[in-house]
Amino acid sequence: MSRIGLLSDTHGWLDPKLRERFAQCDEIWHAGDIGGLHVTDELQSWFPGKPLRAVFGNIDDATVRRAFPEHQRFELDGVRTWMTHIGGRPPRYDRNVSDELRTATPDLFICGHSHICLVQFDPKLNCLYMNPGAAGRHGWHQMRTVLRFTLADGRPKELEVLELGKRGSE
């Protein structure tokens, strides 16, 4: 059983509230648009010894792209997961992932990019889609959001949407 803290679209700024909100998490996952390695370095300093899984996003520079892949595929606690930044949403997946998503379907498909917090089961793929929304101060979203959940018995459980405050606030 693993407790996961999931965020995306920090765009170079990390909310200090996440230190407390993710304190009980076993792993931290970042679904892209990190905005600089200082963000992931700070996450690792807040949570030493805890795995950080991340993917780069469309705004990330070459340094971030060298440090993190575009796609992460892994299995944890019996849950096959695919995390990428740009993936669309059910049933309108991005054309760059749709074929592979249908032929090598994960149990959990995680994206960022849209700045829209959305968790939705796709019955056609038998797959759970998660987008944590945007945790950063830049973008068109109104509320900064992240997700926290548990992986156990081969499926995600105990999902929480955590609101961090209005986009321009700290």
Side-chain angles (χ1 to χ4, degrees):
M1 183 170 81
S2 298
R3 191 83 173 131
I4 308 300
L6 174 62
L7 70 159
S8 183
D9 295 277
T10 48
H11 291 259
W13 179 75
L14 195 57
D15 190 323
K17 290 185 214 113
L18 289 173
R19 190 172 195 163
E20 178 186 334
R21 303 278 175 93
F22 286 172
Q24 300 306 312
C25 293
D26 301 303
E27 293 196 8
I28 310 302
W29 299 354
H30 196 305
D33 276 2
I34 296 164
L37 291 181
H38 64 282
V39 171
T40 51
D41 289 347
E42 190 163 5
L43 282 169
Q44 290 176 317
S45 75
W46 287 353
F47 309 110
K50 294 182 182 184
L52 170 66
R53 300 180 197 251
V55 294
F56 69 75
N58 56 295
I59 66 110
D60 290 316
D61 65 14
T63 306
V64 173
R65 290 170 187 247
R66 280 191 298 274
F68 299 102
E70 181 178 9
H71 304 277
Q72 287 248 17
R73 281 186 168 274
F74 55 92
E75 185 171 327
L76 182 63
D77 295 323
V79 179
R80 293 171 298 127
T81 301
W82 179 5
M83 181 168 58
T84 192
H85 184 61
I86 300 176
R89 67 176 204 206
R92 295 177 301 277
Y93 296 103
D94 186 88
R95 61 182 169 81
N96 294 314
V97 300
S98 60
D99 288 344
E100 187 176 350
L101 191 56
R102 286 171 175 75
T103 58
T105 307
D107 302 310
L108 178 58
F109 184 56
I110 296 172
C111 302
H113 188 62
S114 71
H115 291 223
I116 298 170
C117 184
L118 177 66
V119 176
Q120 181 178 337
F121 183 73
D122 184 336
K124 289 184 179 180
L125 295 180
N126 194 32
C127 173
L128 183 63
Y129 169 89
M130 286 186 184
N131 185 321
R137 296 183 288 192
H138 300 290
W140 60 271
H141 58 285
Q142 295 300 306
M143 181 63 66
R144 294 179 293 108
T145 57
V146 298
L147 298 176
R148 193 169 54 193
F149 58 96
T150 300
L151 297 178
D153 304 321
R155 61 191 185 108
K157 299 179 178 184
E158 303 170 354
L159 174 68
E160 299 171 277
V161 175
L162 306 176
E163 292 184 344
L164 302 173
K166 298 279 187 188
R167 179 186 62 231
S169 68
E170 289 188 32

